[in-house]
Amino acid sequence: MKRIQRIFPDISSTIFGAAFIAVGLYLILMTAYVNAGLGSIFIGIFTIMVMTGGTVDEETAVSALKSDVDTLDGLLEDLGISGDLVQVPPSDTLSEGKTYVPAEDFQGLPDLQDDMVVVSAAGGRVGVSLTPPGLHLMKLAQENLEGPVDGIEGAREVMGILTHGIGLAGSYSIREEDGIFKMRITHDGYNDYCDSLRERDERICTRTACPLCSAYIATAAQYIDSPLRVINFGKEDKHVTYEMEVVE
């Protein structure tokens, strides 16, 4: 399979732009953070209008992706969202997978629906439900599938396209061990991008993940067909490792 040399900034920018607008509307309508809400809406509109459409060279696209991740991470920080992500696959109430990030420690997975962004319960805000940053990368890989696949083997097939077709990584592996799914991604050309994000905030990798790792995590949850919660993360040289448990 021919490796893609030029990538589309709108793959992630449309996702981030829509998320910023949704969060901004919530802040204006439901909280006292009007200025933060207006700022979020402005960022969303700017991201969608300026960063989408057409192809650009890889260096420019990476710069755009980094800017989007930094802005989303800063917004979650301002909102006090500090938990580790749970990747939720499509279901009867979700037309597409979601990345659920609890406000603090994980206290169980709430009932998520498509129109939810800020998730609240009787005791107050419990987290946020976001479109996975890597969702459109996963969909791009799925377009190259030759037939229906499912289970962990299906996840491996899609991850193979992400790796060798789209060129997101040099190699990957995923396996189940004692009920824990262990995934390893070895970066190739995007290792500097990964390191630059972690220099800003190491929690990016576990709070939402960048678009690249998010594509692999979203793939794992969708084909295993269970919500997966990140319980451990590691980065050594070019190797990124995630350990994820199934949320019942």
Side-chain angles (χ1 to χ4, degrees):
M1 182 178 296
K2 185 177 180 180
R3 179 174 173 144
I4 297 173
Q5 297 296 331
R6 298 169 73 83
I7 62 177
F8 294 81
D10 58 310
I11 284 175
S12 66
S13 295
T14 299
I15 298 173
F16 283 117
F20 290 140
I21 292 172
V23 172
L25 290 173
Y26 173 85
L27 293 175
I28 292 173
L29 298 175
M30 304 299 292
T31 76
Y33 298 103
V34 175
N35 288 337
L38 290 173
S40 179
I41 290 175
F42 172 79
I43 292 170
I45 294 173
F46 176 84
T47 301
I48 291 174
M49 293 183 64
V50 177
M51 297 309 304
T52 59
T55 61
V56 296
D57 63 84
E58 187 172 296
E59 183 178 355
T60 302
V62 165
S63 297
L65 291 174
K66 183 176 184 299
S67 176
D68 287 340
V69 173
D70 285 347
T71 307
L72 178 60
D73 187 68
L75 181 60
L76 293 179
E77 187 72 21
D78 289 344
L79 291 173
I81 305 297
S82 60
D84 292 337
L85 73 89
V86 180
Q87 186 60 44
V88 185
S91 66
D92 292 340
T93 59
L94 290 176
S95 59
E96 294 185 331
K98 292 288 185 179
T99 297
Y100 170 69
V101 190
E104 296 178 344
D105 294 335
F106 181 68
Q107 300 294 329
L109 186 63
D111 293 328
L112 302 179
Q113 298 181 16
D114 282 333
D115 58 354
M116 284 184 175
V117 177
V118 177
V119 183
S120 301
R125 185 184 61 202
V126 296
V128 295
S129 176
L130 305 171
T131 299
L135 180 66
H136 279 58
L137 289 170
M138 182 188 74
K139 288 184 175 181
L140 182 62
Q142 289 173 322
E143 291 176 1
N144 290 275
L145 289 172
E146 296 182 355
V149 295
D150 58 18
I152 193 169
E153 290 303 324
R156 289 187 178 119
E157 186 163 345
V158 175
M159 290 179 186
I161 298 172
L162 289 171
T163 303
H164 304 297
I166 301 177
L168 297 189
S171 64
Y172 79 95
S173 66
I174 183 171
R175 70 185 192 278
E176 182 181 5
E177 186 176 305
D178 297 327
I180 303 298
F181 288 92
K182 298 184 177 182
M183 185 171 67
R184 173 169 164 153
I185 303 166
T186 299
H187 284 305
D188 189 4
Y190 291 104
N191 190 57
D192 290 344
Y193 166 69
C194 179
D195 288 342
S196 68
L197 293 179
R198 287 176 49 75
E199 286 176 2
R200 181 194 185 283
D201 187 346
E202 291 186 357
R203 287 179 299 177
I204 286 174
C205 302
T206 57
R207 184 155 49 186
T208 60
C210 72
L212 308 186
C213 288
S214 170
Y216 288 85
I217 296 171
T219 297
Q222 178 152 328
Y223 286 90
I224 294 168
D225 196 25
S226 293
L228 296 178
R229 180 170 76 95
V230 171
I231 58 173
N232 194 19
F233 171 84
K235 173 75 162 64
E236 182 178 358
D237 297 328
K238 293 185 177 182
H239 309 299
V240 173
T241 57
Y242 282 93
E243 292 186 1
M244 301 171 287
E245 68 175 6
V246 171
V247 176
E248 300 295 342

